[in-house]
Amino acid sequence: MHSLLSDICYLLSCTHVTTIPTIPETLYTKRTLDNGLRVITAPMPHTRSVAVSIYVGAGSRYETEREAGISHFIEHLCFKGTAKRPTSQEISETIDGVGGILNAATDREYTVYYAKVARPHLDLAVDVLSDLVQSPLYDSTELEKERKVVLEELASVADSPGQQVDLMLDEMLWPGQPLGWDVGGTEDSVSGLTRAMVLEYSKRQYVPNNMVVAIAGAIDEDEVLDMLGPTLGSMASGAPQSWFPAADADGGPRCQMLFKRTEQTHIALGMHALPLSHPDRYALDLLSVLFGESMSSRLFMELRERQGLCYDVNSYVSHFLDAGSFGVYAAVDPVNGSKTVGALMNELRRLKAGVPEEELHKARELAKGRMLLRMEDTRSVSGWLGGQEILSREIKTPDDVVARIDAVTPDDLSRVVDTVLRSESLNLAVVGPHRSERRFVADLSL
């Protein structure tokens, strides 16, 4: 009887062995148009979708204190109506009508507008996104309505202790400057934004030489350039304002508390770390991976599995153009608040003893695997290329990053630990039902 097992035995007995071909890295082409617009295309011929991302050099780091939140506000307003599609419904229905995804996000160092659609609708996605960033109406009535929406968004953050504690930590790391502010601004600053301020800011920042268009999917570069030529390619270049530099605040360790009658105590520990271009950034990334970015990480195994202190605990790294941070977050029963801070500090100190090669190897494979899996998605590839270009004007391929990750050694990790884990840079933010910080700061020393 013929069976699957017999087929396998036959194949194993064959002398000819077929090797699995290596999947090539994601290739791309970059073209800078006469007006300074950078266009990046990444052909992924096996895909049925196409993703378009438009990155703009506009974010909270570009804002004065009076303008705080204006980048985020403009992102919202672009969806309220354009010259070609005067209402928000027309904008959303255009992409919804073909089963696509349309969205945007504002961060500290850029704003991104993106769409993902089936390949036959590439021209529609390019047209809609170009329309959003090139010809928003900024209608006065819609502006006032959207102001209320943004204020509600800020109110929702105030009701989220997990988000509040992150904001408190940023304010401690970079006090009195854009990098330490909420990207959405404050109630006062958003309430004070006028249509004239919106027009002035968008005219300054939303210029083609301050934009990157990144498209991934079954595409052809010439086709993309033909689509962009009459729209973004025809815009006049400008003189966008640069971002405000960061000034790290040392002098710690420091603690800031916010009393709130919550069911959990939310804890954020953080310190200054490495900027985007630092040669040790990949070593720090791997340190965070093995420390608290998976279910087999040190923090998860010790605080959750062994001690049962929390459900949610993790570490993270932020890289900015001239600054960075390394942080730890945990949410616990208020009774265990100070005990958890002590456990987190013990794990941070344990990093100073060094990381074995075996543990580093696991972190390498985890980091590479997560990155490479993302490269199968057109939206991820579009974001990968556009994000790097808008921030550093240098694009590393996945193979470039794999090589840098593989090159990290235990000695590199030790050097990063000595650089980053310093008591004078340590900051602790706590949100929960606590009146005194005394028990929380007793163990704040590295």
Side-chain angles (χ1 to χ4, degrees):
M1 182 177 177
H2 193 70
S3 68
L4 177 61
L5 180 60
S6 62
D7 284 344
I8 294 173
C9 292
Y10 171 75
L11 290 171
L12 290 174
S13 67
C14 293
T15 56
H16 174 71
V17 177
T18 302
T19 58
I20 299 174
T22 301
I23 299 175
E25 63 181 271
T26 301
L27 301 177
Y28 68 92
T29 57
K30 174 185 168 183
R31 185 80 61 91
T32 302
L33 305 189
D34 291 341
N35 62 359
L37 179 71
R38 287 165 280 169
V39 181
I40 303 169
T41 52
M44 300 173 68
H46 61 286
T47 59
R48 294 181 181 272
S49 71
V50 61
V52 183
S53 301
I54 299 180
Y55 283 81
V56 184
S60 59
R61 295 200 71 183
Y62 293 82
E63 302 165 355
T64 64
E65 187 171 5
R66 179 170 172 260
E67 295 172 328
I70 196 169
S71 301
H72 175 250
F73 193 31
I74 288 173
E75 175 225 309
H76 276 239
L77 292 174
C78 287
F79 285 84
K80 300 303 290 182
T82 66
K84 186 178 289 188
R85 301 171 180 89
T87 68
S88 58
Q89 183 173 351
E90 288 177 83
I91 293 171
S92 58
E93 283 184 347
T94 302
I95 299 299
D96 286 348
V98 296
I101 298 167
L102 177 67
N103 212 333
T106 304
D107 210 328
R108 288 175 171 84
E109 295 173 329
Y110 61 74
T111 301
V112 58
Y113 300 81
Y114 61 90
K116 182 177 180 180
V117 295
R119 175 59 181 86
H121 305 296
L122 168 62
D123 56 342
L124 186 64
V126 170
D127 184 62
V128 170
L129 289 175
S130 299
D131 197 27
L132 289 178
V133 301
Q134 188 175 14
S135 55
L137 296 177
Y138 298 137
D139 177 79
S140 297
T141 301
E142 294 299 326
L143 186 148
E144 292 306 322
K145 287 196 295 185
E146 199 61 24
R147 189 196 308 277
K148 296 176 183 177
V149 172
V150 172
L151 290 174
E152 286 301 318
E153 185 177 355
L154 294 178
S156 72
V157 172
D159 278 344
S160 171
Q163 291 177 278
Q164 273 191 304
V165 78
D166 284 341
L167 288 174
M168 288 168 57
L169 182 60
D170 286 342
E171 290 168 0
M172 296 173 73
L173 291 168
W174 298 287
Q177 54 191 300
L179 201 54
W181 299 340
D182 186 344
V183 170
T186 66
E187 182 178 350
D188 287 343
S189 67
V190 171
S191 297
L193 296 176
T194 66
R195 185 172 186 271
M197 292 170 66
V198 166
L199 289 171
E200 180 184 357
Y201 185 88
S202 60
K203 182 180 179 180
R204 185 175 74 227
Q205 300 303 123
Y206 278 63
V207 290
N209 49 314
N210 197 34
M211 294 183 186
V212 173
V213 179
I215 305 180
I219 55 173
D220 174 76
E221 182 188 30
D222 290 337
E223 178 188 15
V224 168
L225 293 175
D226 287 343
M227 291 178 185
L228 290 171
T231 56
L232 300 184
S234 65
M235 294 177 67
S237 58
Q241 176 182 296
S242 185
W243 42 273
F244 293 101
D248 291 350
D250 273 347
R254 290 170 298 181
C255 177
Q256 183 174 326
M257 303 192 71
L258 175 64
F259 178 82
K260 202 157 195 171
R261 297 190 185 280
T262 54
E263 294 297 318
Q264 288 185 303
T265 293
H266 297 260
I267 298 165
L269 270 166
M271 55 216 79
H272 300 115
L274 308 177
L276 191 64
S277 60
H278 197 286
D280 278 337
R281 63 155 293 189
Y282 293 100
L284 179 59
D285 291 344
L286 290 181
L287 186 73
S288 182
V289 167
L290 67 89
F291 189 61
E293 293 189 27
S294 74
M295 293 179 66
S296 59
S297 65
R298 290 189 178 190
L299 287 182
F300 194 94
M301 295 305 298
E302 180 61 32
L303 272 76
R304 174 167 164 163
E305 297 301 311
R306 294 192 182 99
Q307 298 192 41
L309 286 173
C310 53
Y311 172 77
D312 189 5
V313 60
N314 64 274
S315 64
Y316 58 91
V317 175
S318 297
H319 297 293
F320 302 111
L321 288 167
D322 63 340
S325 65
F326 173 57
V328 178
Y329 168 81
V332 302
D333 188 308
V335 174
N336 294 323
S338 59
K339 181 179 180 180
T340 300
V341 171
L344 292 172
M345 292 303 304
N346 285 338
E347 290 304 308
L348 285 170
R349 295 187 196 103
R350 199 158 70 88
L351 287 174
K352 291 179 174 289
V355 175
E357 172 60 41
E358 180 182 358
E359 191 175 5
L360 173 56
H361 174 74
K362 290 178 182 178
R364 285 197 203 101
E365 296 308 308
L366 190 156
K368 291 188 297 184
R370 285 178 176 174
M371 178 192 68
L372 294 175
L373 288 175
R374 290 199 300 270
M375 292 301 101
E376 294 182 351
D377 175 64
T378 54
R379 164 68 188 129
S380 294
V381 172
S382 174
W384 169 277
L385 298 170
Q388 291 186 80
E389 178 63 29
I390 195 68
L391 291 175
S392 62
R393 292 183 176 265
E394 178 188 6
I395 297 175
K396 296 179 179 66
T397 67
D399 281 357
D400 292 334
V401 175
V402 165
R404 291 169 187 253
I405 290 174
D406 282 337
V408 174
T409 67
D411 287 342
D412 294 330
L413 295 189
S414 295
R415 182 175 61 255
V416 166
V417 166
D418 290 341
T419 301
V420 174
L421 268 61
R422 300 177 297 118
S423 292
E424 61 269 25
S425 181
L426 189 61
N427 295 271
L428 171 65
V430 180
V431 176
H434 307 280
R435 298 288 185 184
S436 171
E437 63 183 44
R438 181 174 54 83
R439 290 184 301 152
F440 289 89
V441 300
D443 204 23
L444 284 185
S445 175
L446 292 169

